Amino acid sequence: MSQIAQNRNLVLQLVLKDLKTRYALSLLGFFWPFLSPLMVVAVFYIIFSVVLKVSTEETPFLLYLMSGVFHWRFFQDSLTSSATSLI
């Protein structure tokens, strides 16, 4: 067995501790990581679809926008967390 599988309880406790401390003082708490990208998608959708009239032929623009924003936010948060872990 791998080391992570053997220590899965420890990993679970460390992840829960990190989530609790990261969002303890936030007004929306645990829901903030889910609402933040959705609000970014809403703002981008209003700007690019309603104001600038950008459209995609193959896919709905909202789906196209969500696929880019969610992946970018995951990459951004992962890079930020990894940089602070080195400290």
Side-chain angles (χ1 to χ4, degrees):
M1 279 192 132
S2 70
Q3 290 284 17
I4 294 176
Q6 290 176 351
N7 297 319
R8 66 179 175 261
N9 191 26
L10 175 64
V11 172
L12 177 65
Q13 292 301 318
L14 289 173
V15 167
L16 289 175
K17 180 183 140 308
D18 183 50
L19 288 174
K20 287 178 184 177
T21 57
R22 183 179 297 176
Y23 302 113
L25 299 177
S26 175
L27 181 65
L28 297 174
F30 183 72
F31 296 109
W32 181 248
F34 302 109
L35 291 176
S36 177
L38 290 175
M39 289 189 295
V40 170
V41 167
V43 169
F44 282 174
Y45 182 76
I46 291 170
I47 291 172
F48 289 113
S49 183
V50 176
V51 176
L52 297 176
K53 307 280 190 224
V54 174
S55 65
T56 56
E57 291 81 26
E58 296 86 22
T59 60
F61 185 68
L62 187 61
L63 183 64
Y64 180 77
L65 187 62
M66 288 171 68
S67 67
V69 169
F70 290 160
H71 287 97
W72 175 253
R73 290 296 300 254
F74 176 73
F75 173 73
Q76 177 186 8
D77 291 342
S78 299
L79 196 63
T80 303
S81 297
S82 67
T84 58
S85 73
L86 296 176
I87 296 173

